Amino acid sequence: MAGWDDEPLFGPESDDPVTARPNRPSGEPWPILVVDDDPQVHAMTAVLLRDFDFDGRPFEVVGALSAAEAKAVLAERPDLPVALLDVVMETEDAGLRLVRHIRDELGNRRMRIILRTGQPGQAPERDVIVGYDINDYKAKSELTAQRLFTTLVSALRAWRDIVTIERNRQGLERILSASASLFETRSMRAFVERLVEQLSRVVDAGSDPAILACRRMERGDGREQTALVAGLGRHAPKIGLAVAEALPPALAEAVEDGFRFQRNLYDDGFCVLVFRTREHGVTVLTLERTESYTPDEHRLLELFCNRVAIGFDNVCLYEELVTLNRSLEQRVEERTTELATNQRALILAKDRVERALERELSARNNQRQFLGMVSHEFRTPLAIIDSAAQLLAMRAEEVEPEMLERLSVIRGSVLRLTGLIDAHLTDERLESNALVLERALVDLPCLIRDSTAPFRVAYPGREFRLELDEAPRRAELDAHLIGLVLANLLNNAVKYSPPDRPIRLRAAADGPMAVIEVTDQGRGVPEVEIPRLFDRFFRGSGADGVPGTGIGLHTVQQIVLLHGGAVAVDSAVGRGSTFRVVLPL
């Protein structure tokens, strides 16, 4: 014989009493909306559901005898999960109109609607399922107690899944909204404070929330401590204090464990979230509330942590960029100041150089005028003095031979003055690029003899050895300038060598070149001074006590270079020097 659970729920009344189950569950009941114009349907549904439970929660019947009454109930309790809905009530389609009201006007897509009707012909199942958003269709004649329970459990599970999905969707939307606003923050302090504020929107913060952000901070003695850097709720006034001073021992220990093990912790009444970044380090957040956090909330918080960790890095990089930019701006400012100072110094130096150049040009102009005057005014008297000295020498040989030595001194002085004038005039013309070579075929041995003759007369006691047998007979030269070269080299040899040592002049041909050497056995030139020996106005250490201007060897080099030749020197201190002039034939 079949049990009572297999009998039709709305068949003939039975005389068998229904026995209530002992140990009724004590959880919050599942509210089931029953809409039917038959009070007996309400009574029988309540009696049956009294003996069932699902997930430790009993069932509660919320009744409505008409569609209008059901609308009033839904206005007060829009969160009802399941509705058992009759089709024919005050009108033949009152139940179907109520479905439209729930789905379209209230926008309630979560509620599971089960149609149960005693007159299936009034609302054919296929038409109703297709045309209306309902979840099940049952005829009262086929709905046994067991099938009603199975139908309700299936509907409650579907409603619970839909609610979970909706809650997760809303949580994801809150995460996206919160993280998007966080990514706009550029200050690390503002970021942490904003993070604490936004975290309360990701999950339900409860009736008495408390959210804190903690970080490792350096103390005055150089050691680190964990301190509160931002917060909401009852711990907010404690920002800046150490965790051990501001929080209860259990929560403080959980925060330290978060830094130590770097993993999230969920406990009754609070959770600890760890944010890890490569650039920013670790930040620990605590969330406190009276209700425990559900697994779904755990997943939402984990997702929020992973997404916001990128924001930490972005803020850290932005702060580094700002610091670098400030440093760069400071360096640019310092460099600009330095450049401005240097520019002012350059302007002053330029003014000094221009004034010095102006003075030099003026001095050179005065020098040029002076040399022109000297050349014009001194040459004629010097020539007269030299001619007179020559005549006196001719007579002295017959009358007073002892006067010859004095006359030689006079002629030597005239020679030095004439050479000095020629040297300065030639140097001036070289510096102003006014010197033009006047090449002509010259008898080189004769030119060397003529250049040596005045020195023989001026220094009769000196020995001048001429080695000209191998000298080329003809050379295309400026005789006057090459004579000046020889005069300068001979003058140096005379000044820097003892009077009892000979001075040698040698000339020879070397292919298409003529080589002239002037050798003395005098003081010599130190090796370190040789590279500067031909510089203008340079006088070496061996020139102390010897009169001179330092332009002679410079003039020699410039004249030789104008001829396309070269000049060099071999010298040793205490052994003398050899000046070698190479000229193209």
Side-chain angles (χ1 to χ4, degrees):
M1 184 175 182
W4 70 272
D5 281 346
D6 295 329
E7 293 297 324
L9 182 60
F10 302 106
E13 293 187 7
S14 171
D15 295 333
D16 296 332
V18 178
T19 305
R21 296 182 182 179
N23 300 325
R24 296 287 297 159
S26 58
E28 183 181 356
W30 294 103
I32 306 299
L33 176 63
V34 177
V35 184
D36 200 299
D37 58 354
D38 187 353
Q40 183 181 4
V41 173
H42 291 265
M44 292 299 296
T45 303
V47 170
L48 175 62
L49 294 182
R50 183 184 58 189
D51 297 323
F52 291 102
D53 63 84
F54 173 59
D55 271 356
R57 297 171 60 181
F59 292 90
E60 173 192 3
V61 173
V62 179
L65 296 174
S66 65
E69 188 176 339
K71 291 179 181 181
V73 172
L74 288 172
E76 296 180 1
R77 302 184 62 177
D79 58 341
L80 294 173
V82 181
L84 295 173
L85 181 60
D86 192 10
V87 176
V88 180
M89 291 179 288
E90 60 264 43
T91 62
E92 292 183 354
D93 60 348
L96 298 179
R97 290 178 179 274
L98 181 59
V99 172
R100 296 286 191 193
H101 173 76
I102 294 172
R103 298 301 193 208
D104 298 337
E105 297 179 22
L106 298 182
N108 189 340
R109 303 292 176 180
R110 297 186 299 274
M111 175 180 283
R112 302 297 85 193
I113 299 176
I114 303 170
L115 282 184
R116 56 178 188 178
T117 178
Q119 303 175 24
Q122 291 292 113
E125 180 176 355
R126 176 177 297 179
D127 296 339
V128 172
I129 288 293
V130 172
Y132 296 86
D133 183 8
I134 64 172
N135 305 106
D136 206 349
Y137 184 101
K138 299 293 184 182
K140 292 181 179 180
S141 60
E142 66 175 354
L143 194 60
T144 64
Q146 185 59 48
R147 288 182 180 179
L148 176 62
F149 175 75
T150 302
T151 300
L152 289 177
V153 169
S154 299
L156 286 172
R157 283 174 175 163
W159 176 84
R160 185 177 59 187
D161 292 341
I162 291 172
V163 170
T164 299
I165 292 172
E166 181 68 18
R167 185 184 300 114
N168 290 341
R169 182 186 64 80
Q170 294 174 354
L172 290 174
E173 289 178 352
R174 290 193 295 268
I175 288 176
L176 293 175
S177 175
S179 58
S181 61
L182 283 173
F183 289 159
E184 298 174 357
T185 308
R186 293 293 178 261
S187 166
M188 181 59 68
R189 179 175 180 179
F191 182 87
V192 174
E193 293 175 352
R194 191 76 174 272
L195 174 64
V196 171
E197 177 184 348
Q198 293 295 334
L199 192 57
S200 64
R201 302 180 183 178
V202 174
V203 295
D204 184 8
S207 57
D208 186 21
I211 303 176
L212 293 173
C214 308
R215 285 187 54 78
R216 296 283 195 185
M217 308 291 289
E218 186 173 335
R219 301 194 311 186
D221 56 2
R223 300 171 59 187
E224 282 191 345
Q225 69 175 7
T226 305
L228 279 62
V229 296
L232 291 175
R234 60 182 177 279
H235 297 310
K238 303 176 183 177
I239 293 174
L241 298 178
V243 167
E245 302 175 10
L247 301 181
L251 186 56
E253 182 63 25
V255 170
E256 295 295 346
D257 286 343
F259 281 103
R260 189 178 303 114
F261 303 110
Q262 297 192 13
R263 64 171 180 264
N264 297 343
L265 172 65
Y266 301 95
D267 203 341
D268 293 337
F270 70 86
C271 71
V272 175
L273 305 177
V274 179
F275 291 86
R276 297 178 298 274
T277 65
R278 292 191 302 272
E279 303 291 340
H280 179 258
V282 178
T283 300
V284 171
L285 278 80
T286 66
L287 287 77
E288 297 179 74
R289 71 178 187 185
T290 55
E291 303 85 1
S292 298
Y293 290 93
T294 66
D296 289 335
E297 290 176 327
H298 293 179
R299 287 189 290 271
L300 287 175
L301 290 173
E302 295 280 353
L303 180 60
F304 181 74
C305 292
N306 293 334
R307 182 171 177 82
V308 171
I310 302 174
F312 273 99
D313 278 335
N314 290 342
V315 172
C316 185
L317 292 174
Y318 179 81
E319 287 194 340
E320 290 180 0
L321 181 62
V322 170
T323 303
L324 182 62
N325 187 54
R326 290 199 188 106
S327 175
L328 183 60
E329 288 177 351
Q330 182 178 0
R331 292 182 62 183
V332 169
E333 183 178 355
E334 293 174 354
R335 184 60 177 165
T336 302
T337 304
E338 181 182 351
L339 288 174
T341 302
N342 293 340
Q343 184 180 16
R344 288 193 295 269
L346 286 174
I347 293 174
L348 294 176
K350 177 175 175 290
D351 292 340
R352 290 195 297 269
V353 170
E354 288 178 348
R355 288 195 296 270
L357 179 61
E358 184 178 353
R359 289 194 298 268
E360 181 181 355
L361 292 175
S362 177
R364 290 187 63 178
N365 185 53
N366 293 335
Q367 180 186 6
R368 190 178 298 111
Q369 293 177 0
F370 174 75
L371 288 174
M373 182 270 294
V374 167
S375 176
H376 181 267
E377 299 294 336
F378 283 16
R379 278 184 184 276
T380 300
L382 288 174
I384 294 173
I385 292 171
D386 187 55
S387 298
Q390 291 182 42
L391 291 174
L392 289 173
M394 292 172 61
R395 292 182 181 180
E397 289 180 354
E398 299 176 358
V399 181
E400 294 184 63
E402 65 274 9
M403 293 292 294
L404 291 176
E405 183 177 356
R406 296 181 181 178
L407 292 172
S408 297
V409 173
I410 293 173
R411 294 201 65 192
S413 299
V414 170
L415 178 64
R416 285 196 300 273
L417 287 173
T418 304
L420 183 62
I421 292 172
D422 288 341
H424 278 280
L425 285 174
T426 303
D427 178 71
E428 176 61 29
R429 292 169 65 191
L430 284 170
E431 290 299 315
S432 60
N433 295 319
L435 188 63
V436 179
L437 294 182
E438 297 180 1
R439 293 178 182 269
L441 286 176
V442 176
D443 186 334
L444 188 59
C446 182
L447 177 62
I448 295 174
R449 292 190 189 95
D450 291 344
S451 299
T452 309
F455 288 90
R456 290 184 185 277
V457 173
Y459 303 100
R462 300 297 297 259
E463 180 182 359
F464 295 90
R465 296 179 183 176
L466 302 183
E467 301 176 6
L468 306 177
D469 295 340
E470 300 179 1
R473 294 302 172 182
R474 292 288 184 270
E476 190 175 355
L477 306 168
D478 186 321
H480 174 71
L481 293 179
I482 296 302
L484 185 60
V485 168
L486 294 173
N488 277 314
L489 294 178
L490 287 170
N491 188 48
N492 275 358
V494 169
K495 289 193 297 184
Y496 294 107
S497 63
D500 58 343
R501 301 289 178 86
I503 297 172
R504 183 170 66 91
L505 276 81
R506 175 181 174 274
D510 185 5
M513 309 296 287
V515 180
I516 303 173
E517 293 181 350
V518 178
T519 303
D520 65 66
Q521 298 179 24
R523 302 179 183 183
V525 182
E527 184 177 359
V528 295
E529 296 180 359
I530 289 178
R532 298 189 57 200
L533 197 59
F534 295 97
D535 291 349
R536 194 175 186 220
F537 301 124
F538 176 76
R539 304 195 74 204
S541 57
D544 292 342
V546 179
T549 60
I551 65 171
L553 290 179
H554 176 71
T555 302
V556 167
Q557 185 187 53
Q558 297 303 309
I559 292 174
V560 172
L561 291 176
L562 281 175
H563 281 80
V567 61
V569 60
D570 294 328
S571 185
V573 176
R575 298 175 58 184
S577 305
T578 296
F579 288 86
R580 184 177 298 103
V581 176
V582 180
L583 298 169
L585 295 174

